[in-house]
Amino acid sequence: MKVYAYHSTNPSDPDVYHDHSTCVSGSQIPQRNRASGTGGYRRCEHCIRLG
Ligand SMILES: [Zn+2]
């Protein structure tokens, strides 16, 4: 399902943002590392495929 943009604050994670709650990459971000917004990153490729 489509959600507001979010990204990981962990420097070791890819510099991308997500906007799908079911994204395989985005769903692995722990809550404590999850920030709202794009973070100025490009969109995650998994999320692009999800539509
Ligand atoms: Zn994603």
Side-chain angles (χ1 to χ4, degrees):
M1 150 184 145
K2 198 110 186 233
V3 296
Y4 286 113
Y6 63 95
H7 64 279
S8 173
T9 58
N10 187 336
S12 68
D13 281 343
D15 289 342
V16 296
Y17 75 88
H18 310 274
D19 57 7
H20 276 272
S21 58
T22 50
C23 174
V24 291
S25 174
S27 63
Q28 286 175 7
I29 302 173
Q31 200 64 48
R32 67 179 183 281
N33 287 345
R34 193 184 280 225
S36 62
T38 65
Y41 301 142
R42 65 190 173 82
R43 199 170 168 218
C44 159
E45 285 180 20
H46 298 290
C47 289
I48 291 172
R49 266 186 233 119
L50 287 166

